[in-house]
Amino acid sequence: MNCELAQTTVHGYFDGELDAVRSAEFERHLERCPECQTALEGIESLRTLLQQSNLYEQASPHLRERIREQLAETSSAGRLPPVYSRRWFLVPTFGVLAAAAAVLAVVFFVLQPHTHAARITAELIDAHVRSLQPGHLTDVQSTDQHTVKPWFDGKLDFIPPVSDYSEQGFPLVGGRLDVVDGHSVAALVYSRRRHFINLFVWPSRNKETIFETSGSRQGYNWIMWGSPDMEFCLVSDAASGDLRGLKDLITR
Amino acid sequence: MLEPQDRIRFEQLVLPHLDSAANLARWLLRNRADSDDVVQEAMLRAYRFFERFHGGDARAWLLQIVRNTCYTWLEKNRPSEMMTEFDEEVHQLPSATPETLAAQADERQRLMLALESLSPRSREVLVLRELEGCSYKQIGEITGIPIGTVMSTLSRARERLQRTLTSAAVKEAW
């Protein structure tokens, strides 16, 4: 008993890195191979242990502040192209305005997504937990994106992008309406190895913002990101790597 | 020198990944004070090199710079750590022997020590995969490991961590 796959392929399978054919092949093998089954359980419990032990070390507010100051210094110390300096000299109010806009931009882009995210993610996680109550998961239950997408028609003032990712291991389960931060949002439900993943979608409030934040709270992982049109948030108790994988598919 | 619009792009695309940068550096250098300095330096480098970033995966691009800055720092300040590279078994850190691990009442503390006892190269793939949720492609991009080798590197790293934790559990049972 010394299965070679227990050392290699099982990891690729667990991490969702095998293509559909190799994945199916391995699943057939897995049914008959106790060694691979043990290995799979082992890496699964190792991941759970690592992710639930609060090991992720975020940047401290102090470091964040230091970096912000440093970037500001670097920018102002550097030479601006002459054309800018000349214009700024001739029209001082423009310079002041531009400086104020730059400060606002920093405050907005750096601070806003974080406070925004903190407040909204708490609500989104609540919405995710609520959806797991019996009968609350979906209003329209279908694995067909062409059934789910039209269902939202007329119920929201925007059209969420709906795709099924069964082939990549994230089958679409259905959709429902939810309310977050006082606004109606679309919630799409995907499944991943017996875990449910909620994808919340709403129109971007600020068209310029592109951001991404992620984290975990109360045992749920989340990734939130914004494009110029829509903002998205994935919430689930599935592994954060799985969420990342689904996010990559959505943004592809 | 970056144009003002590049600065805004930097703040939109790169700065949101500061947590990822801090996490990777913390685990590579194994303490917060050193890693904060290195992250600051890496951010400055990223800012200076930002002109060379032509779209794509901003997090992987930043983490690659963070990692390189960490390794340069380690080579300069703790060259011995870089030497344990291929000899994990022999050069186990005194802080992470089965005895000290078993004595840790706190699960998180025990896990931290076990993770820190791995070589930097095993540690980084584990942190990138399990804590940061990177795909193999992203891990390859960040660490420079050929993508075909990421799976086996990760497999060895997981096995080592499991073994360290198990041997601690055995000691504890005694």
Side-chain angles (χ1 to χ4, degrees):
Chain A
M1 276 276 293
N2 210 339
C3 179
E4 205 180 289
L5 302 186
Q7 258 105 51
T8 52
T9 313
V10 68
H11 292 270
Y13 173 76
F14 176 66
D15 291 319
E17 294 276 348
L18 301 185
D19 59 42
V21 176
R22 286 180 69 200
S23 186
E25 266 172 23
F26 181 74
E27 271 171 12
R28 277 196 299 279
H29 166 81
L30 187 64
E31 281 173 24
R32 295 177 273 106
C33 178
E35 202 177 338
C36 280
Q37 288 163 15
T38 314
L40 187 62
E41 279 165 27
I43 52 184
E44 188 154 27
S45 62
L46 183 68
R47 168 168 299 171
T48 310
L49 186 64
L50 285 169
Q51 290 184 343
Q52 290 183 349
S53 303
N54 215 5
L55 293 170
Y56 197 98
E57 301 260 355
Q58 289 175 323
S60 65
H62 175 64
L63 175 64
R64 208 171 277 282
E65 188 53 39
R66 261 167 63 184
I67 286 168
R68 209 172 297 150
E69 278 170 14
Q70 184 187 36
L71 292 185
E73 269 170 35
T74 315
S75 306
S76 58
R79 285 166 289 115
L80 286 166
V83 60
Y84 280 91
S85 5
R86 220 178 307 128
R87 273 202 215 135
W88 285 22
F89 174 72
L90 287 174
V91 193
T93 45
F94 174 72
V96 172
L97 278 177
V103 169
L104 270 179
V106 172
V107 168
F108 189 80
F109 291 126
V110 179
L111 295 177
Q112 194 267 350
H114 286 90
T115 51
H116 176 77
R119 187 166 50 81
I120 303 288
T121 44
E123 275 199 44
L124 290 168
I125 289 169
D126 287 348
H128 173 76
V129 176
R130 235 177 11 245
S131 77
L132 300 178
Q133 304 297 314
H136 283 69
L137 192 60
T138 52
D139 294 333
V140 52
Q141 190 177 350
S142 172
T143 54
D144 180 5
Q145 62 204 51
H146 304 296
T147 307
V148 176
K149 196 180 176 104
W151 180 85
F152 284 108
D153 207 13
K155 298 187 179 67
L156 292 166
D157 52 6
F158 64 96
I159 300 169
V162 181
S163 296
D164 174 40
Y165 302 106
S166 295
E167 282 182 16
Q168 295 89 348
F170 299 94
L172 179 66
V173 177
R176 66 170 194 285
L177 292 181
D178 220 314
V179 176
V180 173
D181 193 26
H183 298 274
S184 292
V185 303
L188 298 171
V189 183
Y190 292 91
S191 73
R192 176 69 167 175
R193 298 199 196 101
R194 299 190 299 277
H195 300 279
F196 287 114
I197 304 176
N198 265 291
L199 170 66
F200 298 96
V201 187
W202 60 92
S204 292
R205 312 243 157 96
N206 185 301
K207 301 288 178 204
E208 300 301 314
T209 321
I210 300 168
F211 67 91
E212 183 186 323
T213 56
S214 58
S216 69
R217 188 190 300 205
Q218 303 154 11
Y220 297 99
N221 294 311
W222 53 268
I223 306 179
M224 191 192 293
W225 72 98
S227 70
D229 303 327
M230 302 272 176
E231 290 178 12
F232 302 84
C233 188
L234 287 168
V235 186
S236 180
D237 61 343
S240 62
D242 285 340
L243 290 194
R244 183 71 55 187
L246 181 54
K247 193 227 150 187
D248 290 344
L249 290 171
I250 295 164
T251 53
R252 188 181 284 172
Chain B
M1 180 57 206
L2 292 175
E3 303 277 341
Q5 64 268 30
D6 284 334
R7 163 120 190 248
I8 291 177
R9 270 189 73 228
F10 183 84
E11 276 154 9
Q12 286 179 329
L13 294 176
V14 181
L15 223 45
H17 301 294
L18 180 59
D19 282 338
S20 304
N23 184 52
L24 178 63
R26 151 69 185 83
W27 285 106
L28 272 176
L29 304 187
R30 298 185 295 124
N31 84 58
R32 202 57 188 257
D34 291 335
S35 72
D36 272 7
D37 289 344
V38 171
V39 169
Q40 192 172 357
E41 193 192 325
M43 276 320 242
L44 191 60
R45 276 197 204 177
Y47 189 59
R48 293 206 173 115
F49 295 151
F50 188 54
E51 281 166 298
R52 297 188 208 166
F53 174 69
H54 302 296
D57 188 340
R59 182 177 62 150
W61 180 78
L62 175 66
L63 291 184
Q64 195 185 346
I65 296 174
V66 170
R67 175 185 182 271
N68 290 341
T69 315
C70 284
Y71 275 101
T72 309
W73 189 93
L74 280 174
E75 270 158 21
K76 195 167 156 231
N77 295 283
R78 300 190 214 143
S80 62
E81 262 176 54
M82 303 297 293
M83 317 249 292
T84 58
E85 212 50 48
F86 305 102
D87 233 353
E88 237 154 15
E89 323 282 310
V90 185
H91 292 94
Q92 186 135 63
L93 291 169
S95 61
T97 61
E99 289 78 9
T100 49
L101 279 183
Q104 284 300 331
D106 183 29
E107 178 76 44
R108 176 174 183 268
Q109 198 68 24
R110 183 190 308 201
L111 209 50
M112 275 172 62
L113 287 175
L115 203 49
E116 287 177 355
S117 75
L118 302 179
S119 73
R121 302 205 194 260
S122 294
R123 212 181 311 141
E124 70 186 355
V125 291
L126 271 176
V127 167
L128 288 173
R129 178 62 218 157
E130 305 293 24
L131 301 184
E132 199 56 60
C134 289
S135 67
Y136 287 7
K137 182 167 167 277
Q138 289 167 326
I139 295 176
E141 206 174 312
I142 295 163
T143 59
I145 301 174
I147 182 149
T149 320
V150 173
M151 187 159 78
S152 53
T153 312
L154 193 54
S155 153
R156 269 196 306 278
R158 278 173 173 152
E159 195 204 339
R160 274 188 190 137
L161 185 61
Q162 274 165 333
R163 225 181 317 139
T164 310
L165 289 167
T166 321
S167 62
V170 170
K171 279 279 185 297
E172 188 180 34
W174 276 84

